[in-house]
Amino acid sequence: MKSRLETLAGEIRDDVTRLVPSLSAERQVDVVYVASISDYFYKNLKRDASEIVGLFESGDMEREYGASVYERQLGSPDVSDLDRVLRTVRRREMCRIIYRDLMRLADLTQTTRDLSNLADAAIETALSVHYQYNCERFGAPLDASGDPRQMSVLALGKLGAQELNLSSDIDLVFFYDEQGTVSGERALTHQEFFMRTARSLIASLDKIDEIGFVFRVDMRLRPYGESGLLILHRAAMEKYFIEQGRDWERYAFIKARACAGDVALGEDFLEWLVPFVYRKHLDYGAIDSLREMKRLINYEVDVKGLADDLKLGHGGIREVEFIVQACQIIWGGNEPQLRERKLLKVLDYLKDLGLLPEADVNGLRAAYCFLRDSEHVVQAEADRQTQKLPKEALSRQRLAVAMGYTDFESYALALNKHRETVRASFSTFMSSNRAERETLVEGNLYWVSIWRDPDSSNSIELLSSSGYEDAEGTAARLKAFESRLDDSDVQELGASRIDRLMPVLLMLTAKEQSPDKTLERLLAIIDSISRRTTYVSYLLENLDALKRMIYLCGMSPWVAERLQKFPILLYELSDRVTHEAVFERDKLYEEMRQLMQNIESGDLEAQMDSLRQFKNSSVLKVAVFELLDLLSLMKASDALTDIAEIVLDKAFRLAWTYLVDRHGEPLDQSGSPVGQSFAIVAYGKLGGVELGYGSDLDVLFLHDADIRGNTDGNKSIENSVFFSRLGQRIVHILTSFTRFGVLYEVDLRLRPDGNKGPLVSTFSAYERYLREEAWTWEHQALVRARFVAGNPGLRDRFEEIRRTRLAQPRDKAALMQDVVAMRQKMRQHLEKGTTTRSAEVPSDEILLSGFDFKHGAGAIIDIEFMVQYSVLAYSCEYPELTRWTDKMRILDELGSLGIYSRQEVEILQEAYLAYRAAVHYQWLGGAVSSYERLNQYRSDVVEIWNRHMAAPEPEEG
């Protein structure tokens, strides 16, 4: 027995044979198939078969269009003929698109792109015609320069992402650039002119006549919604989003695109809107709003019986969109590629970035394509705006066959499988937060009662039995914290989130080695974020980050203090950040570049803030990795050094731009540009690639420009003044205190003549100073000097000066006397006013009471002085000693040359690394548990010092 679809196909076959006899038999079969699935296609075939034949004969039926094809087909109709042309072209192209979709000549992406391009062309054509017509009637709207202006059309939703379906509304927002009056005789304002144009545009697209309509237009996403003006000027748009922009509008504008009119104006506005849509850092506060939106939709699904809706039903298209858009909102501020409008591309990025598991992404992609293809079949049947699964037997069979199944039951099984995939991913992603689930899993719900009534006898007993040593003190701190929350202006939403977080935090803190001390540090952090609920939401959503925060605060008061001062650093504690943290210089630079790329070039304050955010977050990540024993001391110092060099180079470039904008480029006497003839040289730990967490930057500024030249700007200044101000501006950028703290403290005392000398020296003056006036200790410091920022072309110039000065012939005995005398002077200075400290190796008691890892006998400075003496004494004979600035490689050279024995080199290197590791650990707030090995190193270093640095009498003559 034939099915209804087979019977219908037989009837259609007779019509096709009669209507399009010129088509080949094979094509007639395809036309029958499409007509049997789509009443709309069949109806238009019977209305005008020549149109269908024309699509085949032109080749249009089997080829993918570019966007411009639709514009050519629409042409430039007269206003009186516009609506007919729009509808006629739309009808023809819908037949073509439906045929290609049902025949699978176009995949989902091609079909939605074709529909979107058709809509773009229709909007542009209608706007152009009505704009021109109104210009002829009223005059053109002109800007302040007298140039004509056009309005901009923003497409939101599916059209914005070029994902339009066969029967989508198009969500539009209109605006124009600035207020004014038109150029004609009638006193018409821009607002009135563009209001008329906008209304005419909507009518041409949306009005239903005997031919039909073009696209249904939805304007409800405009500012103020249906109660707002149909079109606003840009300043009013910006004012709205600054003052009244709501969370749901952030989602609405994820896909926004300028699709017609003044596209450049539209894209510029959308670029301005990026910070509204995407927060600079991870935005977990938004996910609660998303959950609420979805809860309301679920309610609507249940109340209105939308279970069979491909879009709104459980496991439907909307849930895929929710997952993807939530990820975009949460991470889009940090990951610019997630600002992509197209859903399938965003899914790929989420997989590549590790933000969603690959299996989930693959499942969501397959389900989304299946659901959208099904949606198109349902809509193609009668050109209806619906996503509901059909009830009629014929329609169900059409859907099943078009989707590749023999019957609806088989199709339904596949559909349900895809929906379950979506629902499972959605439930995991959008369920109650992980931190709350942790409490429930552990079964320790009594933590809730402790938080609600911390100073009760029962709570104190529970705290004590759970590991808190000072239970009464902890209870008192909790009560005081609770009172501060009650007395402050914490909003109800924030208080609710803290109520959900605190029981989990108390439970996890109890597992730490010192829970009372850890909790005290944590309460200071929670206090600092209590009015910024997005951070609390982030901790609720990211159990890994919450646990890591607690663990690190237990280990390090330094980390706790950084998190309290700069809560934005909490985002650096997630699994993804710590698993993917790579401290290669190029990747660090790219992180800095991305963080600063959207800041206007003239906004120095914002640039300084972003540079501090980069430095703070990068240094914290290094500390986290070192504390977790995932990064060696050498790698940590390398990373800290790279971070400082990147910051210095950026500070130089910001300062250069700032000065050039005000005074122009420096020129020599002949009027030729001298370029960026500026170098930053690092001494000390930065020069030696040994930077620590609290290190100052010992730097020197040099320039190589003609000091008799001037800059070429309107406010011209002498080159010497320009470069002096450049140095001052760099120092300002580095040392100014902003809401994100100070970048680095800067020490400039190693410049020629110290604090009495000029801030910026010329290369020639610097070289002359080193040759004629520098003290021995200044040559010692030169051992660790290195070009680190500025014009790379000056690196070799500096290196040549350094090599020449280090390798100059010296009286070894006199040199040793100078070095030893300087060492003794440093000791005397440090010991002045304190109890007498022996220069010999101190006893265990003195060590355990506190050993100065830097200045103590046999400590870091002794090793540095031995290395510096050796470089200055032997570089004349062995120039290779001037190659390096870090002690590890210099010591290797000293061992290779036989100046020190291999055993001595190994002892000095091991001791130096052990001291520096202890300094790092103590800086981060840890306590060195055992000094036994360090004590042995001290003894060995003192022994080596006595062997090599016993000062002989200087040679006579």
Side-chain angles (χ1 to χ4, degrees):
M1 182 178 176
K2 288 184 178 180
S3 68
R4 291 185 59 185
L5 183 59
E6 289 171 322
T7 301
L8 177 62
E11 297 170 1
I12 292 172
R13 190 176 299 111
D14 294 338
D15 280 343
V16 168
T17 303
R18 176 175 54 82
L19 293 168
V20 289
S22 62
L23 294 183
S24 66
E26 184 179 358
R27 280 184 171 165
Q28 287 186 17
V29 170
D30 294 340
V31 171
V32 169
Y33 167 73
V34 174
S36 67
I37 301 296
S38 170
D39 288 339
Y40 177 81
F41 183 88
Y42 185 28
K43 174 184 173 182
N44 282 293
L45 173 68
K46 291 190 292 183
R47 183 194 57 78
D48 187 357
S50 64
E51 191 170 70
I52 304 298
V53 173
L55 283 166
F56 281 108
E57 290 178 346
S58 65
D60 288 352
M61 198 67 95
E62 296 183 5
R63 71 183 178 95
E64 184 180 357
Y65 280 177
S68 61
V69 175
Y70 295 108
E71 294 175 10
R72 288 199 301 271
Q73 289 186 0
L74 288 166
S76 302
D78 183 81
V79 68
S80 61
D81 201 33
L82 171 66
D83 292 2
R84 183 194 63 79
V85 171
L86 288 172
R87 282 153 182 76
T88 302
V89 172
R90 188 260 185 189
R91 186 173 60 198
R92 176 185 187 271
E93 292 309 318
M94 287 295 289
C95 288
R96 171 186 163 274
I97 292 169
I98 288 171
Y99 179 91
R100 286 175 51 75
D101 185 69
L102 293 178
M103 289 299 300
R104 296 297 180 252
L105 296 174
D107 62 16
L108 174 63
T109 300
Q110 291 172 327
T111 296
T112 56
R113 186 168 56 239
D114 267 1
L115 289 160
S116 301
N117 286 338
L118 174 60
D120 284 355
I123 296 167
E124 182 64 54
T125 300
L127 174 59
S128 177
V129 170
H130 287 298
Y131 172 83
Q132 188 59 42
Y133 177 70
N134 284 333
C135 284
E136 293 168 1
R137 292 176 65 199
F138 309 114
L142 306 178
D143 63 15
S145 301
D147 296 321
R149 301 299 298 172
Q150 173 62 287
M151 61 188 271
S152 182
V153 181
L154 302 179
L156 279 62
K158 286 186 168 62
L159 178 56
Q162 294 184 299
E163 296 170 342
L164 213 58
N165 63 41
L166 283 171
S167 193
S168 288
D169 289 352
I170 54 174
D171 297 295
L172 303 179
V173 172
F174 303 144
F175 76 101
Y176 59 95
D177 195 9
E178 59 188 37
Q179 299 185 76
T181 56
V182 300
S183 60
E185 295 180 0
R186 293 182 58 178
L188 206 64
T189 65
H190 286 184
Q191 178 68 32
E192 292 169 321
F193 178 94
F194 286 121
M195 182 73 80
R196 289 171 182 267
T197 305
R199 285 173 177 160
S200 300
L201 165 63
I202 293 170
S204 286
L205 297 175
D206 192 82
K207 181 179 62 181
I208 300 175
D209 61 17
E210 65 277 4
I211 305 177
F213 66 98
V214 188
F215 288 98
R216 287 173 292 269
V217 178
D218 191 337
M219 298 296 299
R220 290 175 295 176
L221 295 180
R222 68 185 187 270
Y224 308 103
E226 292 178 288
S227 63
L229 292 172
L230 191 63
I231 187 168
L232 296 174
H233 58 84
R234 176 164 181 169
M237 292 275 287
E238 292 182 358
K239 183 176 187 293
Y240 171 81
F241 283 104
I242 289 170
E243 297 179 355
Q244 300 189 45
R246 290 158 289 179
D247 273 345
W248 68 262
E249 286 171 308
R250 295 176 62 195
Y251 299 100
F253 275 84
I254 284 176
K255 296 177 181 290
R257 175 176 61 89
C259 69
D262 191 338
V263 172
L265 171 64
E267 290 299 332
D268 186 67
F269 171 75
L270 292 176
E271 186 67 26
W272 175 88
L273 198 62
V274 165
F276 167 74
V277 180
Y278 300 104
R279 303 300 190 242
K280 278 190 175 181
H281 288 269
L282 306 183
D283 187 6
Y284 279 90
I287 204 169
D288 273 349
S289 300
L290 193 66
R291 280 205 192 96
E292 179 61 20
M293 289 165 64
K294 182 54 184 170
R295 186 188 67 77
L296 294 173
I297 291 173
N298 284 346
Y299 176 78
E300 184 182 27
V301 169
D302 294 336
V303 169
K304 295 185 178 180
L306 300 177
D308 285 339
D309 194 297
L310 292 164
K311 179 180 180 180
L312 299 177
H314 298 302
I317 296 167
R318 179 66 62 84
E319 289 190 355
V320 182
E321 292 172 341
F322 260 65
I323 294 170
V324 173
Q325 289 178 335
C327 290
Q328 288 180 278
I329 287 290
I330 293 167
W331 288 297
N334 258 0
E335 305 289 355
Q337 58 265 57
L338 292 181
R339 299 171 198 171
E340 165 65 46
R341 298 175 177 109
K342 297 178 177 62
L343 182 142
L344 292 176
K345 283 189 177 181
V346 178
L347 276 175
D348 286 338
Y349 292 139
L350 292 172
K351 178 176 67 177
D352 294 342
L353 293 167
L355 299 175
L356 285 181
E358 183 173 357
D360 282 14
V361 169
N362 293 340
L364 289 170
R365 169 182 283 277
Y368 181 76
C369 291
F370 188 91
L371 289 162
R372 290 297 307 271
D373 284 339
S374 298
E375 174 188 54
H376 285 168
V377 176
V378 171
Q379 292 175 342
E381 184 178 31
D383 192 23
R384 286 182 302 166
Q385 186 183 22
T386 180
Q387 284 93 10
K388 285 190 176 181
L389 289 172
K391 301 293 185 184
E392 300 79 8
L394 175 60
S395 297
R396 288 190 165 202
Q397 195 169 11
R398 281 171 162 168
L399 175 57
V401 170
M403 291 297 294
Y405 296 90
T406 56
D407 53 58
F408 185 77
E409 288 71 23
S410 302
Y411 163 79
L413 285 173
L415 172 64
N416 289 334
K417 185 176 180 181
H418 283 300
R419 282 174 142 183
E420 286 304 316
T421 297
V422 174
R423 208 163 179 194
S425 293
F426 185 84
S427 297
T428 300
F429 188 82
M430 303 295 288
S431 59
S432 59
N433 61 71
R434 294 179 61 198
E436 290 174 300
R437 292 203 304 276
E438 178 81 359
T439 312
L440 296 172
V441 169
E442 295 260 344
N444 294 332
L445 293 180
Y446 63 74
W447 291 108
V448 176
S449 65
I450 292 174
W451 165 240
R452 287 176 179 169
D453 192 11
D455 57 350
S456 69
S457 58
N458 184 54
S459 293
I460 292 172
E461 184 179 341
L462 289 172
L463 285 168
S464 179
S465 63
S466 299
Y468 287 89
E469 295 176 1
D470 181 15
E472 290 188 2
T474 294
R477 280 190 287 274
L478 285 172
K479 189 66 179 177
F481 174 66
E482 185 181 43
S483 298
R484 284 198 303 278
L485 289 180
D486 291 340
D487 294 340
S488 68
D489 58 350
V490 177
Q491 295 178 351
E492 185 178 346
L493 178 62
S496 170
R497 289 175 179 173
I498 291 172
D499 281 341
R500 288 150 53 191
L501 175 65
M502 286 305 299
V504 191
L505 186 135
L506 289 169
M507 179 193 73
L508 294 174
T509 304
K511 301 175 182 179
E512 294 301 309
Q513 190 170 2
S514 302
D516 304 271
K517 188 182 295 183
T518 303
L519 181 63
E520 187 173 2
R521 296 168 186 167
L522 291 168
L523 288 177
I525 295 171
I526 304 302
D527 200 4
S528 72
I529 64 174
S530 60
R531 282 164 294 281
R532 289 176 275 185
T533 58
T534 187
Y535 293 128
V536 182
S537 293
Y538 167 74
L539 294 173
L540 283 166
E541 298 294 339
N542 285 266
L543 187 60
D544 57 300
L546 177 63
K547 287 181 174 179
R548 192 164 285 118
M549 177 186 75
I550 293 169
Y551 176 70
L552 291 170
C553 287
M555 289 182 69
S556 172
W558 180 85
V559 171
E561 180 264 339
R562 302 301 288 173
L563 294 175
Q564 179 191 357
K565 280 187 175 179
F566 311 115
I568 202 168
L569 296 175
L570 290 167
Y571 295 133
E572 305 301 332
L573 302 182
S574 73
D575 266 344
R576 188 182 73 82
V577 173
T578 52
H579 287 167
E580 294 181 3
V582 178
F583 300 109
E584 295 172 6
R585 187 186 181 96
D586 288 348
K587 293 193 175 180
L588 285 168
Y589 178 82
E590 181 59 21
E591 286 180 21
M592 184 272 293
R593 190 194 67 77
Q594 288 188 7
L595 192 61
M596 301 185 72
Q597 66 181 351
N598 292 323
I599 301 174
E600 293 183 12
S601 58
D603 192 349
L604 184 60
E605 183 178 350
Q607 290 168 330
M608 288 168 62
D609 277 349
S610 290
L611 204 51
R612 281 155 177 73
Q613 289 180 58
F614 162 74
K615 185 253 184 175
N616 288 341
S617 63
S618 299
V619 169
L620 181 72
K621 280 187 278 190
V622 175
V624 168
F625 269 60
E626 194 168 4
L627 285 169
L628 296 177
D629 207 22
L630 298 173
L631 199 66
S632 68
L633 166 73
M634 295 284 281
K635 292 290 186 184
S637 281
D638 286 350
L640 293 172
T641 300
D642 282 339
I643 292 164
E645 289 183 30
I646 290 168
V647 168
L648 274 173
D649 190 67
K650 187 63 178 178
F652 157 66
R653 298 190 186 285
L654 291 175
W656 180 270
T657 300
Y658 180 88
L659 266 295
V660 169
D661 285 347
R662 282 153 182 77
H663 303 292
E665 297 263 4
L667 308 177
D668 62 19
Q669 287 186 89
S670 66
S672 300
V674 301
Q676 294 182 337
S677 303
F678 190 86
I680 301 178
V681 172
Y683 282 83
K685 289 185 174 65
L686 179 58
V689 199
E690 299 166 351
L691 212 62
Y693 293 99
S695 300
D696 294 349
L697 301 187
D698 295 295
V699 293
L700 167 72
F701 299 145
L702 300 173
H703 80 86
D704 195 33
D706 185 346
I707 61 172
R708 290 163 296 184
N710 296 282
T711 63
D712 63 359
N714 292 330
K715 297 180 180 179
S716 177
I717 55 176
E718 296 176 354
N719 286 349
S720 58
V721 176
F722 177 92
F723 284 104
S724 178
R725 290 183 182 177
L726 180 63
Q728 292 168 359
R729 178 58 51 175
I730 292 171
V731 173
H732 169 77
I733 291 170
L734 295 172
T735 61
S736 292
F737 186 85
T738 77
R739 61 195 175 117
F740 294 109
V742 171
L743 276 170
Y744 292 98
E745 295 295 339
V746 175
D747 191 337
L748 293 157
R749 290 175 296 177
L750 286 171
R751 66 186 188 269
D753 290 322
N755 288 336
K756 295 182 295 182
L759 184 67
V760 182
S761 298
T762 63
F763 270 85
S764 57
Y766 174 65
E767 183 178 18
R768 184 171 58 253
Y769 177 83
L770 289 176
R771 184 177 65 249
E772 299 175 2
E773 301 178 46
W775 296 76
T776 298
W777 66 265
E778 290 176 291
H779 285 170
Q780 286 179 246
L782 194 61
V783 171
R784 291 202 290 179
R786 207 166 44 88
F787 173 94
V788 291
N791 185 344
L794 297 175
R795 184 190 305 273
D796 290 344
R797 175 84 186 274
F798 171 76
E799 288 299 330
E800 181 58 32
I801 293 173
R802 176 179 174 274
R803 278 194 299 269
T804 301
R805 289 305 103 216
L806 291 179
Q808 71 184 51
R810 290 177 173 86
D811 180 336
K812 293 185 178 64
L815 174 65
M816 183 172 290
Q817 277 197 337
D818 284 350
V819 172
V820 172
M822 176 56 67
R823 183 69 185 104
Q824 290 171 343
K825 185 178 179 180
M826 290 176 65
R827 270 209 191 97
Q828 291 166 4
H829 177 73
L830 289 167
E831 293 173 0
K832 187 177 181 180
T834 63
T835 55
T836 303
R837 296 169 64 182
S838 172
E840 301 301 322
V841 180
S843 67
D844 283 349
E845 182 181 357
I846 295 175
L847 276 171
L848 292 173
S849 67
F851 163 41
D852 188 333
F853 293 114
K854 183 174 182 180
H855 296 285
I860 288 173
I861 295 294
D862 280 356
I863 298 174
E864 288 181 347
F865 271 48
M866 282 189 275
V867 168
Q868 290 166 1
Y869 165 77
S870 299
V871 171
L872 294 177
Y874 294 100
S875 290
C876 182
E877 303 168 53
Y878 307 110
E880 57 266 40
L881 284 173
T882 66
R883 182 180 178 187
W884 308 112
T885 63
D886 64 287
K887 276 177 233 21
M888 293 299 102
R889 285 184 286 196
I890 296 176
L891 282 167
D892 284 337
E893 291 284 358
L894 293 174
S896 299
L897 295 169
I899 297 170
Y900 281 75
S901 71
R902 178 47 55 190
Q903 182 181 21
E904 287 174 328
V905 168
E906 289 177 358
I907 289 172
L908 291 175
Q909 287 179 330
E910 288 178 14
Y912 193 71
L913 291 177
Y915 293 152
R916 285 183 55 216
V919 170
H920 271 223
Y921 192 64
Q922 283 192 329
W923 182 265
L924 294 175
V928 179
S929 58
S930 173
Y931 285 81
E932 184 177 348
R933 185 59 181 151
L934 295 178
N935 187 47
Q936 182 59 50
Y937 281 136
R938 291 194 69 195
S939 178
D940 292 341
V941 171
V942 168
E943 186 178 332
I944 295 171
W945 173 277
N946 290 334
R947 252 195 320 267
H948 286 268
M949 301 299 289
E953 292 297 321
E955 299 174 9
E956 293 186 4

